[in-house]
Amino acid sequence: MRNLRNADCVFTGVEDSLSLTASTWTVGKDQLLCAFGPTQNDALLQLKRWRTNREENPERTEILPSGFTDIIASWDAPCPLPELECDKVLNLHYFADIETACLVFAGGDIVVVRESSILNEDKIEIVGSVDVGVSAVSWSPDGELLALTTNAETLLYMTRDFENIANIQFTPDDLKASKHVSVGWGKSETQFKGKGAKALRDPTMPETVDGGDLSEHDSGNTTISWRGDGAYVAINSIESGKRRVIRVYSREGALDSVSEPVNGLTGALSWRPAGNLIASIQRYADHIEVVFFERNGLRHGQFSLRLSKADMEDWAADVSLNWNIDSSVLAVSFIDRVQLWTMGNYHYYLKQEIFPKSEGRRLTPISVQWHPENPLQLAISASGSIQMFAYEFESSVGPTAPPNDYGIVAVIDGSRLKLTPMRLANIPPPMALHELELRRIAIDVTMTTIEGMTLLGILFEDAVSLYEWNLPTEFKKLPTLRWTVELSRSQSLTNGQSCFNRTINRLISFDHDSQISILQSTDQRARVVDCILVIDRDRGEMQRFVTAKDDQMRISEILPLKKTIWINGKEVAGSSKSTFSLSSAGRLSAKTPNEVVELVRNCTSFLVTPAHLILTTSQSILKFVHLEDMVVPGDTPETDERCRSIERGARLVTVIPSTFALILQMPRGNLETIYPRALVLAGIRNNLDGKRYKRAFLACRNHRVDMNILHDYNPETFIADVDLFVDQVKKVEHIDLFLSQLRNEDVSQTMYIETLPPRMRNVDRSSALSSTSAGLDATQSKVNRICDAFLKALQQREPKGLQNVISAHVCKVPPDLDAGLKEIARLRRNDPEQAESATEHICFLADSNRLYDNALGLYDLELTVLVAQQTQKDPREYLPFLQNFQDMPTLKRQYSIDDHLCRYSKALKNLYDLDAFDEVKEYMVKHSLYSQALELYRYQPQKLSVMMKLHADYLQQNAQYKQAGIVYENLQLYASASESYRLAHLWRECLSCASLVPITLSQLQSLARALCEGLVEGKDFSSAAVIHRDYLNDMPMAARLFCKGYYFADAIRVISIENRADLLDSVVDVGLVEGMAAMTELLADCKSQLNSQVPRIFELRKKKAEDPLAFLEGDLAGGDADIPDNISLAPTDASTMGRSLFTRYTSRTGTVATNATRQTSKRRQREERKRARGKKGSVYEEEYLVNSIGRLVDKVNSVIEEVERLVTGLMRRGMRERALATEAAMVDLIDLCKSAVVKVYGKEIIPGTDEKQLRPDYTDRPSGGDGVLWESIAEQPVRERPLIKKFEKLSLLGG
């Protein structure tokens, strides 16, 4: 579906005194090395280099006349063979690495010309000679082997140093090398023809067998062609003057095969560089075909050159072939022209016909040279000129902006133009909807749509035609010719392009000699407005052109950036702000009024729609770029909806935004129509903006797009347009489908956020949602809000919308089944038949068993029977069951139904309505409905007290002692309350209730002592001291308990209250000394733990970094040492029995079944116990030590206040040195803890920091198994750094 468009054309003339005989490309440069002479009248040979002015000054992009440099070398080349009138250059080859040219003459001489000769080397040297003369010659593609045939029917192989390594004689016995067996692929003999004659013929035996007869136009020449990899060479020659034979030789000189006999085979030969086909020419009496052979010599297809008998006798008398370097284009050379053919879907298209010209007259081509590196660049050397052409493959498509996006594709095939509007008729190539017969072979075609009429501008060598096509009403008819403008000889185009200007009635055509023709149509006629132009260029860009009448026009479509092919430039529809351009190197650029931005460097094709720039990359990824921000997505088709993987080598053909279709062409030529999610979503949003809800809904339904996008794209507008949505969609099943797919998620900000335009991403929808929920409960979810809006809109459409009403109720979150069943119950009274249909529908939407329970819960037994009929329940079971309910009184029936449905609260309320107090008590106790019962009897004090007593007993039995004590105390049951408080360890409440019982003093003191023992055991020394002082009158013991809890200030206070100064020395001072001793010992233990564990952590981390495999395997000794028995190998992500070196880090062991059985619950529990122990030498040791440091810091934080009280007490009692020592020990420990925390936990984690930010940089991650190991080392859990409380030092001690 792609045409060959001319991207560049450079021309230079040749002096009449010179005769161009050979040319070749210089690799790495766009230069030609040309040989002039010798001729019959002059034996002088000159070697010159043709260089374009563009190559001399790369900064300039204008096409200026080119010419030859100075003569590289010249010498006389007389012919050594008397039968030749003059010598002839058969082959000219240039070695760029050594700057040497090699010429092989028909007379047999092999001449080397050195541009940079060194000492003892001649600039011109004859390095060899073949006495009998040379008939054909060709260098291998790598330039290391020279194959030449002599006039004595021999084949010679020479190295690059011109050493003869093979001398092979052609003999008639060579024809026996291949035994051809054809199975008739593609032949008519192999096709099924029914039961008639020939049905039983052997299809492998053709009706006629060619004898290899020579054509009368055969020139008798010999040709040589190498395969692209240089492994084989094909030689086309005449054997014994009877038939043409193509011999295939290996690089070593062994005969591989010969071709089967073909009548009329000529000397043309070209081996396709891809290696699969050998092309040649077969002449018939009435036509000429390009025939193909396989390497084994068998025929493999053909195509006709579409020539008449007159053409065959005139300019097609001599034909030669030449493939380009990537096998995509076949150049067919005739006497005065060159045709370029391409292949797609096994059909050969004639794309271009080139006429070498000089001053308006046609020349006879000498040779065609394809560039060895640029596939679509070639040079044509004629007798009077040299022309260089550069082409690009480009699809000629119509507009891609709705509503004119018919997907028109125009394919040039010789004098036929294949037209297919893909939106109306998706016909694969080589077929087409219409084949428009043209006056001659077209150069270029362009299309536009104006006021609903499609215009086709077709550019020929000597004319421009404009056709009209009325789409879509008359798409089955051929386009009609509107006008044709004949171009004069001065205006005729060697090769050019065409495009439509924004002006309605102007078509622009131009070639690459800065000649532009503006054609304006008037009343079905056309005229050339002007074609003499002065082109202004600024920084390599064509900004405007000026006519002779000073009529300035801006043509934004003709803006070739430097070294950029303008044919791929496309402008954003409806805007003149951005123009996109693709260079031959794959660089896609966007031009704005202010700058030129390079988007990607690996683009292979692109298209532009009103919303997106669509491109394909060399990594076979299709990408969509929003025109608003021009941000190119990454190569992540797995996660980004703007990317999609495509077949390797696929190219864009056209895009149809109206139908969300994107058409690509595969390398073999077939088409694929896809519907990318980004294009579909853009179309859906466009329909939503236009309030075309039915189109948007059908697009979601057909392309499996989440239908929540219909609401989430613009929630406020959608809620307001629910009535319009229902009116447009209409179908009940479609509305049901939409409601059933609703969920509480904003898919426009989650699933499809990448496809949103930049201005709509991360939009706060809270205001929109709140405005749409006006008058509704603020706590309602999105689904419920939409369903309520539909219910409101559908109320006016009953009974037609009844099914949708039920669906709206059921689709709520949670489903409102009761409301749906009530609708059915209401309908059942008016229309029983429709009610049955509605019941079937609701049973389809929800679980029928659940609906049965909900219907029963409505106390409507007839509705329950109706629902039960849609379930799998047995009527013999549910009918007697429901009949039993029918025989009960109303309240009793409701109680029984609620109890059956386990709706105990409602059942309790029904019992309360029945005034069955005893049954209420039993039911309350049975189902623990105490809160509900207390609420029911809150205004009946006597019954409320009974209920509260039962509730208190329940709380007591369930170990909720505090709440039980409160209830007992509320009921003034102080004995029970005191006991409950005692069990709850609430000593204040317990003693206060015990005093209210009342009990004796001895009993109260006994209770107080028991409580003290529990408090001391729980280390609540302050509370125990209060009991001893207030209830046991034991002030010395109270003071000792205060000192034991480091509450020295309270101890001194109670001693001073009792005026017992003697206890200061015997109790307080002793308590201070004992407290200091215990605290000092604790601080020393913590310091010792830190000093031992922190270095061990560093040691483990060092070993892990040096040899992670040995560390994870437990080989802490290094080398091949045996693993000690006391080291645990944990079968976790680090090591697992039976796993390989790679899979032990991936948690995969070969099959899912074996992996599942090994990771048993028992083993996991055992590993968790090992992790908790952190045994030395195990892989869990480091984790255990780090956790131990954290626990130690928590312990230090817990004793800071105690140390502060201890230091204050020591100073108050005059023990300064002890206070100073204690404070110093605490300060040292805190400093050591701070240092250890920094070393062990690293930098501090700021609250709210994303954990991913603390992970290592994944850009350094290696690939393969090394990457898995890297993750196992780097992906350590991020532990929160523990905080250390501040320790307040006394200023009296220097703090």
Side-chain angles (χ1 to χ4, degrees):
M1 305 293 283
R2 295 185 294 167
N3 297 322
L4 272 179
R5 269 185 172 173
N6 184 252
D8 198 0
C9 177
V10 182
F11 166 83
T12 187
V14 179
E15 299 178 9
D16 294 337
S17 59
L18 300 177
S19 177
L20 181 62
T21 56
S23 61
T24 185
W25 287 98
T26 57
V27 179
K29 301 178 181 179
D30 291 338
Q31 299 177 354
L32 276 177
L33 191 65
C34 302
F36 296 91
T39 62
Q40 184 177 358
N41 300 324
D42 188 358
L44 179 65
L45 187 144
Q46 293 181 351
L47 202 60
K48 296 182 180 182
R49 176 174 281 107
W50 179 53
R51 183 180 310 192
T52 65
N53 286 347
R54 180 187 293 108
E55 192 275 331
E56 293 176 356
N57 186 3
E59 296 300 323
R60 300 180 61 183
T61 59
E62 58 265 33
I63 308 301
L64 298 176
S66 303
F68 294 97
T69 61
D70 296 334
I71 299 175
I72 298 175
S74 64
W75 70 96
D76 289 336
C79 181
L81 298 180
E83 59 269 21
L84 297 178
E85 295 180 355
C86 65
D87 213 344
K88 180 181 178 182
V89 180
L90 294 181
N91 181 268
L92 173 61
H93 187 80
Y94 186 76
F95 299 97
D97 54 343
I98 57 176
E99 297 183 350
T100 300
C102 177
L103 295 88
V104 181
F105 292 86
D109 290 338
I110 302 174
V111 180
V112 170
V113 179
R114 302 179 179 91
E115 286 192 84
S116 301
S117 59
I118 59 177
L119 295 177
N120 301 324
E121 284 187 346
D122 296 329
K123 184 172 184 178
I124 303 174
E125 180 182 1
I126 300 178
V127 296
S129 181
V130 179
D131 295 338
V132 296
V134 177
S135 58
V137 61
S138 178
W139 284 92
S140 64
D142 57 3
E144 297 295 333
L145 199 61
L146 175 65
L148 59 85
T149 58
T150 69
N151 294 331
E153 301 296 328
T154 58
L155 170 65
L156 302 180
Y157 278 175
M158 292 186 182
T159 65
R160 187 168 177 174
D161 298 328
F162 304 101
E163 296 180 2
N164 191 3
I165 59 174
N167 191 337
I168 306 166
Q169 183 68 41
F170 296 157
T171 64
D173 292 338
D174 295 342
L175 305 183
K176 302 177 182 178
S178 298
K179 295 181 180 180
H180 303 112
V181 178
S182 175
V183 295
W185 295 118
K187 299 288 186 178
S188 61
E189 295 88 357
T190 62
Q191 308 305 313
F192 179 72
K193 299 181 180 179
K195 298 181 179 180
K198 301 182 182 179
L200 300 179
R201 263 186 84 256
D202 185 358
T204 64
M205 297 299 294
E207 295 180 3
T208 59
V209 178
D210 286 355
D213 299 335
L214 288 174
S215 170
E216 61 181 8
H217 293 88
D218 197 314
S219 61
N221 63 323
T222 301
T223 50
I224 301 176
S225 181
W226 287 85
R227 200 171 74 172
D229 58 0
Y232 293 92
V233 63
I235 302 170
N236 187 349
S237 63
I238 298 178
E239 177 59 39
S240 303
K242 297 180 180 179
R243 58 166 281 197
R244 277 276 176 184
V245 177
I246 299 177
R247 294 176 172 88
V248 177
Y249 288 90
S250 68
R251 193 179 181 92
E252 291 74 23
L255 180 62
D256 185 74
S257 63
V258 296
S259 62
E260 62 177 283
V262 175
N263 291 336
L265 190 67
T266 65
L269 182 69
S270 182
W271 198 327
R272 196 166 185 248
N276 58 335
L277 297 176
I278 303 173
S280 187
I281 293 293
Q282 184 180 11
R283 300 185 70 99
Y284 291 89
D286 55 349
H287 68 284
I288 299 177
E289 288 185 350
V290 176
V291 294
F292 299 108
F293 296 88
E294 299 177 10
R295 199 194 80 191
N296 58 15
L298 292 176
R299 284 281 299 274
H300 190 95
Q302 65 281 324
F303 71 91
S304 175
L305 292 179
R306 309 171 190 172
L307 302 175
S308 64
K309 276 192 174 183
D311 295 336
M312 294 172 58
E313 298 295 334
D314 184 13
W315 49 268
D318 186 18
V319 186
S320 60
L321 304 174
N322 200 347
W323 286 100
N324 69 334
I325 190 64
D326 68 349
S327 307
S328 60
V329 182
L330 176 64
V332 183
S333 303
F334 300 95
I335 293 177
D336 64 343
R337 69 196 67 186
V338 176
Q339 293 182 351
L340 302 182
W341 294 74
T342 64
M343 190 269 286
N345 260 13
Y346 301 99
H347 175 80
Y348 281 83
Y349 299 85
L350 174 55
K351 294 299 183 182
Q352 291 284 345
E353 189 172 47
I354 306 171
F355 295 93
K357 296 180 180 180
S358 178
E359 298 179 357
R361 59 185 178 88
R362 294 183 179 179
L363 303 176
T364 301
I366 298 299
S367 65
V368 175
Q369 295 287 337
W370 286 103
H371 197 283
E373 292 179 346
N374 300 328
L376 297 180
Q377 184 174 343
L378 78 159
I380 299 178
S381 304
S383 57
S385 69
I386 298 179
Q387 291 172 274
M388 186 274 290
F389 299 92
Y391 290 90
E392 287 294 330
F393 280 113
E394 178 70 9
S395 298
S396 298
V397 298
T400 58
N404 300 318
D405 54 338
Y406 299 112
I408 306 174
V409 182
V411 182
I412 297 175
D413 188 10
S415 59
R416 291 193 299 266
L417 184 66
K418 297 177 179 288
L419 294 171
T420 303
M422 291 294 178
R423 177 175 163 187
L424 305 175
N426 197 334
I427 300 176
M431 298 177 290
L433 180 64
H434 295 300
E435 290 190 1
L436 184 63
E437 292 294 336
L438 305 176
R439 51 183 286 144
R440 60 178 305 153
I441 298 175
I443 294 177
D444 193 19
V445 59
T446 185
M447 288 168 282
T448 189
T449 300
I450 299 176
E451 297 180 354
M453 181 66 69
T454 300
L455 303 180
L456 286 81
I458 303 175
L459 180 64
F460 303 97
E461 181 193 13
D462 54 358
V464 179
S465 298
L466 184 69
Y467 287 80
E468 291 182 345
W469 198 8
N470 189 5
L471 292 176
T473 56
E474 298 180 358
F475 78 96
K476 293 185 179 180
K477 297 182 179 180
L478 282 171
T480 58
L481 179 63
R482 182 173 179 180
W483 49 254
T484 297
V485 175
E486 299 287 345
L487 300 179
S488 64
R489 175 172 296 184
S490 61
Q491 297 172 351
S492 62
L493 305 179
T494 303
N495 250 8
Q497 301 175 11
S498 61
C499 68
F500 276 99
N501 189 290
R502 290 172 181 269
T503 308
I504 292 179
N505 57 355
R506 292 193 177 183
L507 175 67
I508 302 169
S509 64
F510 69 97
D511 66 3
H512 293 279
D513 290 327
S514 302
Q515 175 176 296
I516 299 181
S517 300
I518 308 171
L519 291 88
Q520 184 174 8
S521 63
T522 304
D523 299 331
Q524 304 299 323
R525 292 179 297 175
R527 63 187 178 89
V528 177
V529 177
D530 204 339
C531 63
I532 304 174
L533 304 173
V534 180
I535 300 176
D536 290 347
R537 295 177 182 270
D538 182 16
R539 299 183 306 275
E541 303 173 7
M542 180 185 294
Q543 299 293 345
R544 67 183 184 276
F545 63 85
V546 184
T547 67
K549 300 177 182 179
D550 295 331
D551 180 18
Q552 298 187 11
M553 296 178 57
R554 297 186 62 87
I555 303 204
S556 56
E557 295 198 16
I558 308 180
L559 290 173
L561 304 178
K562 185 175 66 173
K563 296 184 179 179
T564 302
I565 302 158
W566 84 272
I567 59 170
N568 283 333
K570 295 184 176 64
E571 189 172 1
V572 179
S575 174
S576 60
K577 294 183 179 180
S578 299
T579 302
F580 301 97
S581 181
L582 176 63
S583 72
S584 58
R587 296 184 177 183
L588 181 62
S589 302
K591 179 185 180 300
T592 63
N594 300 323
E595 60 179 348
V596 176
V597 181
E598 184 176 277
L599 300 178
V600 294
R601 295 190 176 186
N602 59 347
C603 180
T604 56
S605 62
F606 77 98
L607 292 169
V608 179
T609 69
H612 294 103
L613 165 66
I614 310 172
L615 59 97
T616 57
T617 67
S618 56
Q619 280 77 28
S620 302
I621 295 179
L622 174 68
K623 295 186 178 183
F624 288 79
V625 180
H626 292 288
L627 296 182
E628 294 184 7
D629 59 354
M630 295 294 182
V631 176
V632 181
D635 297 341
T636 55
E638 302 85 2
T639 58
D640 196 335
E641 292 284 3
R642 295 173 295 172
C643 299
R644 175 169 177 164
S645 297
I646 57 177
E647 184 177 334
R648 182 179 179 183
R651 298 291 186 271
L652 296 173
V653 176
T654 188
V655 59
I656 311 175
S658 297
T659 59
F660 327 122
L662 182 66
I663 301 173
L664 301 99
Q665 187 169 27
M666 302 302 108
R668 55 189 172 274
N670 61 305
L671 298 182
E672 286 191 8
T673 302
I674 62 174
Y675 299 87
R677 189 55 51 93
L679 198 62
V680 173
L681 290 171
I684 292 173
R685 296 187 182 103
N686 184 41
N687 288 327
L688 291 176
D689 289 335
K691 296 187 177 182
R692 297 182 292 271
Y693 292 107
K694 183 175 182 179
R695 291 186 181 180
F697 170 82
L698 293 177
C700 293
R701 177 173 175 263
N702 296 336
H703 300 284
R704 302 184 66 85
V705 176
D706 196 313
M707 290 191 180
N708 286 273
I709 191 70
L710 300 177
H711 167 270
D712 297 341
Y713 175 66
N714 195 334
E716 184 177 0
T717 303
F718 182 83
I719 293 296
D721 292 340
V722 168
D723 287 303
L724 180 61
F725 179 91
V726 175
D727 291 337
Q728 289 186 4
V729 176
K730 292 182 181 180
K731 286 190 176 182
V732 174
E733 56 270 20
H734 286 175
I735 298 177
D736 280 349
L737 178 62
F738 170 73
L739 293 173
S740 64
Q741 293 195 5
L742 293 175
R743 66 177 188 277
N744 289 317
E745 178 187 350
D746 188 353
V747 297
S748 66
Q749 299 297 321
T750 56
M751 183 183 300
Y752 303 131
I753 187 171
E754 295 89 358
T755 61
L756 272 175
R759 68 179 186 279
M760 302 188 66
R761 297 178 191 171
N762 302 319
V763 176
D764 184 10
R765 303 298 182 93
S766 57
S767 59
L769 293 179
S770 62
S771 62
T772 58
S773 60
L776 301 176
D777 186 5
T779 61
Q780 282 187 320
S781 64
K782 161 194 151 183
V783 175
N784 293 348
R785 188 165 49 253
I786 297 174
C787 291
D788 289 337
F790 271 86
L791 288 172
K792 182 178 179 181
L794 292 169
Q795 286 176 354
Q796 305 172 358
R797 294 169 172 81
E798 293 186 4
K800 182 179 180 181
L802 179 62
Q803 180 174 321
N804 296 141
V805 171
I806 296 175
S807 299
H809 285 301
V810 176
C811 291
K812 288 186 176 182
V813 180
D816 192 358
L817 300 180
D818 289 347
L821 291 171
K822 289 178 181 178
E823 292 287 344
I824 297 176
R826 180 179 59 82
L827 183 64
R828 179 175 52 82
R829 293 189 291 269
N830 302 326
D831 190 348
E833 183 177 351
Q834 190 174 1
E836 185 175 354
S837 176
T839 305
E840 294 179 0
H841 177 65
I842 196 173
C843 290
F844 170 76
L845 296 176
D847 182 14
S848 57
N849 293 320
R850 184 179 175 188
L851 286 170
Y852 174 82
D853 293 339
N854 282 77
L856 186 60
L858 295 175
Y859 313 121
D860 190 337
L861 298 182
E862 294 183 5
L863 178 62
T864 305
V865 173
L866 192 61
V867 173
Q869 292 174 354
Q870 304 298 326
T871 67
Q872 300 296 325
K873 295 181 180 294
D874 189 351
R876 292 174 298 180
E877 295 181 0
Y878 68 78
L879 288 179
F881 174 74
L882 297 177
Q883 184 63 38
N884 183 33
F885 289 138
Q886 184 68 31
D887 298 338
M888 296 181 182
T890 302
L891 290 176
K892 186 66 174 179
R893 182 195 310 136
Q894 294 177 357
Y895 160 74
S896 300
I897 290 175
D898 291 332
D899 182 65
H900 170 74
L901 297 176
C902 299
R903 301 193 297 190
Y904 301 123
S905 297
K906 286 189 175 183
L908 183 68
K909 179 64 170 59
N910 292 325
L911 285 177
Y912 173 79
D913 294 337
L914 288 171
D915 197 17
F917 182 67
D918 293 336
E919 294 182 11
V920 170
K921 288 194 300 182
E922 295 177 359
Y923 201 78
M924 177 192 69
V925 173
K926 180 179 179 181
H927 298 291
S928 301
L929 301 173
Y930 299 99
S931 298
Q932 294 84 343
L934 293 176
E935 182 66 21
L936 292 174
Y937 289 99
R938 64 184 181 277
Y939 300 121
Q940 302 179 34
Q942 294 181 353
K943 295 181 179 179
L944 180 62
S945 298
V946 175
M947 294 295 183
M948 291 182 66
K949 176 63 170 61
L950 294 174
H951 188 200
D953 295 340
Y954 169 78
L955 294 173
Q956 183 77 5
Q957 294 172 2
N958 288 273
Q960 301 181 28
Y961 301 116
K962 179 181 178 180
Q963 298 186 39
I966 294 173
V967 177
Y968 282 132
E969 188 174 3
N970 179 270
L971 296 174
Q972 297 182 358
L973 302 175
Y974 296 114
S976 299
S978 177
E979 178 63 20
S980 296
Y981 285 137
R982 185 186 68 82
L983 295 173
H985 303 290
L986 301 174
W987 62 272
R988 294 179 180 85
E989 293 82 354
C990 177
L991 291 174
S992 62
C993 288
S995 301
L996 295 174
V997 171
I999 59 175
T1000 62
L1001 180 60
S1002 61
Q1003 290 176 337
L1004 183 61
Q1005 290 180 347
S1006 177
L1007 177 61
R1009 289 190 182 93
L1011 291 173
C1012 278
E1013 292 176 358
L1015 292 172
V1016 171
E1017 186 176 349
K1019 298 187 181 300
D1020 189 359
F1021 300 108
S1022 178
S1023 299
V1026 172
I1027 294 176
H1028 273 280
R1029 185 192 65 185
D1030 296 343
Y1031 291 94
L1032 299 178
N1033 296 322
D1034 190 354
M1035 192 271 297
M1037 180 56 69
R1040 290 188 181 92
L1041 290 174
F1042 276 128
C1043 292
K1044 197 169 184 180
Y1046 295 92
Y1047 297 99
F1048 300 102
D1050 290 334
I1052 296 173
R1053 181 180 61 82
V1054 297
I1055 289 175
S1056 62
I1057 292 175
E1058 298 294 333
N1059 293 322
R1060 294 289 303 275
D1062 57 306
L1063 295 178
L1064 291 175
D1065 295 332
S1066 61
V1067 175
V1068 176
D1069 291 349
V1070 172
L1072 285 168
V1073 173
E1074 292 177 352
M1076 176 191 173
M1079 186 60 67
T1080 303
E1081 183 179 359
L1082 175 62
L1083 298 180
D1085 292 341
C1086 292
K1087 186 175 182 180
S1088 175
Q1089 181 180 344
L1090 286 174
N1091 290 331
S1092 62
Q1093 290 183 343
V1094 173
R1096 178 60 179 171
I1097 292 175
F1098 290 161
E1099 179 183 358
L1100 293 173
R1101 290 178 177 176
K1102 181 179 179 181
K1103 291 181 178 180
K1104 184 177 182 180
E1106 292 176 351
D1107 193 355
L1109 288 178
F1111 176 83
L1112 295 175
E1113 290 285 7
D1115 186 10
L1116 301 182
D1120 298 328
D1122 295 334
I1123 300 176
D1125 294 338
N1126 62 344
I1127 293 180
S1128 170
L1129 293 180
T1132 62
D1133 290 344
S1135 61
T1136 301
M1137 294 178 60
R1139 297 184 182 182
S1140 67
L1141 180 63
F1142 174 78
T1143 57
R1144 67 168 52 94
Y1145 300 109
T1146 61
S1147 296
R1148 297 294 181 266
T1149 58
T1151 63
V1152 176
T1154 57
N1155 187 56
T1157 55
R1158 290 177 182 176
Q1159 298 290 348
T1160 61
S1161 176
K1162 192 172 183 180
R1163 172 167 291 179
R1164 286 195 297 270
Q1165 293 176 2
R1166 183 168 64 251
E1167 292 307 319
E1168 288 300 326
R1169 289 194 297 268
K1170 290 182 180 181
R1171 184 187 296 271
R1173 287 197 302 268
K1175 189 175 181 181
K1176 186 174 182 180
S1178 68
V1179 294
Y1180 299 130
E1181 182 183 0
E1182 180 189 357
E1183 180 183 359
Y1184 174 81
L1185 293 177
V1186 172
N1187 294 335
S1188 178
I1189 297 295
R1191 292 191 296 269
L1192 185 142
V1193 172
D1194 294 338
K1195 188 175 183 180
V1196 172
N1197 287 333
S1198 66
V1199 301
I1200 286 179
E1201 293 181 359
E1202 295 180 359
V1203 174
E1204 290 176 351
R1205 295 197 298 266
L1206 175 61
V1207 172
T1208 302
L1210 290 171
M1211 284 298 296
R1212 290 180 64 182
R1213 295 300 299 159
M1215 303 179 187
R1216 176 182 175 82
E1217 296 299 328
R1218 294 177 184 269
L1220 185 61
T1222 304
E1223 186 180 75
M1226 190 65 197
V1227 171
D1228 291 343
L1229 180 59
I1230 290 177
D1231 292 340
L1232 188 60
C1233 287
K1234 291 180 179 179
S1235 175
V1237 166
V1238 173
K1239 294 178 181 178
V1240 173
Y1241 291 89
K1243 63 181 181 179
E1244 182 178 0
I1245 300 176
I1246 301 174
T1249 302
D1250 189 359
E1251 183 176 330
K1252 295 181 179 179
Q1253 300 177 7
L1254 305 175
R1255 297 292 184 188
D1257 186 7
Y1258 276 79
T1259 58
D1260 298 331
R1261 181 190 184 277
S1263 59
D1266 293 337
V1268 179
L1269 175 60
W1270 184 90
E1271 288 181 352
S1272 69
I1273 299 172
E1275 289 271 341
Q1276 298 296 332
V1278 180
R1279 299 182 179 88
E1280 185 177 357
R1281 180 176 175 180
L1283 300 176
I1284 302 175
K1285 292 182 179 179
K1286 185 178 180 181
F1287 176 68
E1288 297 289 343
K1289 298 192 294 182
L1290 288 179
S1291 60
L1292 296 175
L1293 299 176

